[in-house]
Amino acid sequence: MKEKIQKVFKEKFGDGGMTYTSPGRINLIGEHTDYNGGFVLPGAIDKAMYAVVKPNGTDKVRAFAADLNESSEFGLEEKDKPQEGFAKYIFGVAREMIKRGKSIPGFDIVISGDVPLGAGMSSSAALESAVGYALNDQYKLGFTRPELATIGQSTEHNYVGVKCGIMDQFASCMGKEGSLIRLDCRSLEHQYVPFDPKGYQLVLLNTCVTHELASSAYNKRRESCERVVEAIAKKHPEVKLLRDANLDQLKEVKDQVSAEDYMRAEFVIEEIQRLLDTCAALEKGDYATVGKKMYATHEGLSKKYEVSCPELDFLNDQAKVAGVTGSRVMGGGFGGCTINLVKDDLKDKFVKEASAAYEKKFGIKPKVYDVVIKDGARKL
Ligand code: GLA
């Protein structure tokens, strides 16, 4: 990948580009909790976005997306927002850095990567983090890794239109080989949790579908959570985010919020607790409990948060029937992957049978990825 993208850079812009990479992520449990100030348990993976970058001595950016064969040229003032989808990420990251008081001269950049798009593995966060890391290094801007994660998140909010939490960018910038990150999304305090489940493997099954309007549905989920917080805070002003609320406080506002908002908030409050229970089980090496929690998360994401889809529910059912220890939809939802915790000796059989059943039902062959947990953003 490195050689390929460097060659493209040379052809487009000449010698002297530096290469940077930042990975996609998995998340063991703790979904839609990040923007509610709760906990998540992600890890960076061995699929990443790459950026080759070189200052060009002008005030313009010349960008090329190798996988899309698309170019874009733009300035870095607010009015210069490019039309091309991929370029918005580069522009957004640079703008967020400028807003934080830095000067970003023009540069040439080629991007490429092997994080599957729309699969719930955070290709966009990987791109933001690769670009952020590259500019930070090239122009010696002095941002810390958590700051780069925040810059990526603000890029999503202000230039892409997704009101995402911090999980994806944090995992991409802060990932550590062999470890998951137990992240408190309110304080950004985090611990690395070594993850080497003896006798088990993590495998992703990609439905290869992405349902329309995922980003507007995502933003709507966030608004539901915010409305419930507002209702609870009338009596409990210390509740600033759903993280601060408990199920009793939620019950108190049952008549003041819509049934839908209630159900969404109930999922989030339960999910935050599920993550804490899962961390306790992991400490004891109790993978049976970890697996049960994963299934419970799927059930909640499907029935209460309503971010699953028939394809994901089907793969989840396949896992249950096959006796897989844990399985659930991963990431924002509306398509993408299930993450499965499966015993070594069951893995091949499960993957083969679930793939065949899925193909028979939906006419699509699911893609299969073994999870390898790697380091976060870096220069190559
Ligand atoms: C997407 C968002 C994250 C997070 C997950 C759901 O990946 O980018 O911030 O909210 O969905 O857990």
Side-chain angles (χ1 to χ4, degrees):
M1 184 59 82
K2 182 181 164 193
E3 286 71 31
K4 202 175 107 203
I5 185 176
Q6 284 173 338
K7 190 164 163 258
V8 176
F9 186 91
K10 199 171 169 167
E11 282 161 16
K12 287 270 162 201
F13 303 119
D15 286 320
M18 291 285 206
T19 310
Y20 301 84
T21 184
S22 203
R25 60 109 190 88
I26 53 124
N27 184 31
L28 189 65
I29 201 159
E31 221 62 89
H32 291 274
T33 48
D34 58 355
Y35 52 85
N36 288 298
F39 297 89
V40 290
L41 198 55
I45 55 174
D46 63 342
K47 294 174 181 41
M49 296 302 291
Y50 296 78
V52 183
V53 176
K54 187 185 162 192
N56 61 18
T58 74
D59 57 359
K60 295 270 183 302
V61 176
R62 295 189 296 175
F64 181 67
D67 306 326
L68 307 173
N69 194 23
E70 236 184 276
S71 299
S72 179
E73 191 170 324
F74 49 89
L76 286 174
E77 287 179 38
E78 199 60 35
K79 63 173 174 48
D80 298 326
K81 186 172 175 184
Q83 287 306 312
E84 297 78 11
F86 85 92
K88 290 187 180 130
Y89 293 91
I90 302 169
F91 177 76
V93 169
R95 283 297 309 159
E96 289 298 331
M97 290 176 153
I98 293 166
K99 286 185 203 166
R100 286 162 177 76
K102 306 292 179 181
S103 142
I104 310 275
F107 54 92
D108 295 336
I109 178 167
V110 173
I111 59 163
S112 177
D114 59 5
V115 187
L117 304 184
M121 287 185 237
S122 302
S123 52
S124 52
L127 175 57
E128 288 145 13
S129 304
V131 172
Y133 194 90
L135 296 180
N136 197 38
D137 186 64
Q138 285 286 320
Y139 295 128
K140 303 284 169 268
L141 304 176
F143 289 115
T144 63
R145 284 173 183 263
E147 283 168 345
L148 290 176
T150 308
I151 286 168
Q153 183 194 21
S154 304
T155 300
E156 291 282 345
H157 287 197
N158 300 327
Y159 298 93
V160 183
V162 181
K163 301 286 176 195
C164 67
I166 190 69
M167 166 167 75
D168 304 349
Q169 292 80 5
F170 197 93
S172 190
C173 290
M174 297 288 289
K176 183 168 152 186
E177 184 162 355
S179 287
L180 299 176
I181 311 170
R182 181 188 184 277
L183 173 65
D184 177 333
C185 298
R186 184 168 53 188
S187 65
L188 297 191
E189 268 171 34
H190 56 279
Q191 287 103 39
Y192 289 103
V193 180
F195 186 72
D196 182 18
K198 294 266 177 299
Y200 294 85
Q201 294 177 38
L202 279 180
V203 61
L204 306 181
L205 291 188
N206 189 353
T207 59
C208 298
V209 297
T210 318
H211 290 283
E212 300 264 345
L213 301 176
S215 62
S216 66
Y218 181 94
N219 292 347
K220 279 196 189 138
R221 297 300 180 283
R222 186 172 183 148
E223 286 161 19
S224 287
C225 296
E226 286 165 1
R227 280 194 293 269
V228 174
V229 166
E230 211 176 291
I232 296 176
K234 282 187 197 141
K235 186 164 162 209
H236 303 282
E238 71 284 4
V239 173
K240 306 268 189 257
L241 292 161
L242 280 182
R243 153 80 179 274
D244 307 316
N246 57 43
L247 290 174
D248 290 336
Q249 291 168 332
L250 176 63
K251 280 191 198 119
E252 288 171 8
V253 298
K254 193 157 190 169
D255 299 339
Q256 300 160 42
V257 299
S258 72
E260 189 178 279
D261 286 358
Y262 187 89
M263 206 164 61
R264 307 282 191 251
E266 189 175 50
F267 165 77
V268 170
I269 295 171
E270 288 170 351
E271 179 71 356
I272 293 173
Q273 187 56 46
R274 241 187 320 265
L275 181 139
L276 297 173
D277 295 345
T278 302
C279 287
L282 276 175
E283 256 176 49
K284 289 189 252 156
D286 175 4
Y287 294 106
T289 298
V290 173
K292 280 195 193 118
K293 300 287 171 196
M294 291 170 75
Y295 278 115
T297 293
H298 185 88
E299 180 78 9
L301 286 169
S302 179
K303 303 274 160 46
K304 294 185 181 173
Y305 221 60
E306 296 182 297
V307 294
S308 187
C309 59
E311 292 87 348
L312 286 163
D313 287 345
F314 182 84
L315 284 180
N316 187 257
D317 285 342
Q318 290 295 309
K320 232 179 261 167
V321 169
V324 169
T325 306
S327 176
R328 65 178 197 81
V329 43
M330 187 181 76
F334 309 105
C337 291
T338 59
I339 179 168
N340 302 276
L341 178 68
V342 54
K343 286 204 170 125
D344 285 340
D345 51 10
L346 185 60
K347 190 210 148 195
D348 290 345
K349 185 169 179 281
F350 161 61
V351 166
K352 200 167 146 221
E353 290 179 2
S355 302
Y358 184 83
E359 193 177 357
K360 190 159 168 233
K361 170 112 178 134
F362 295 103
I364 315 167
K365 223 181 166 56
K367 293 214 170 76
V368 181
Y369 313 98
D370 291 328
V371 172
V372 182
I373 299 176
K374 297 297 251 185
D375 285 333
R378 62 202 179 273
K379 188 176 188 170
L380 292 177

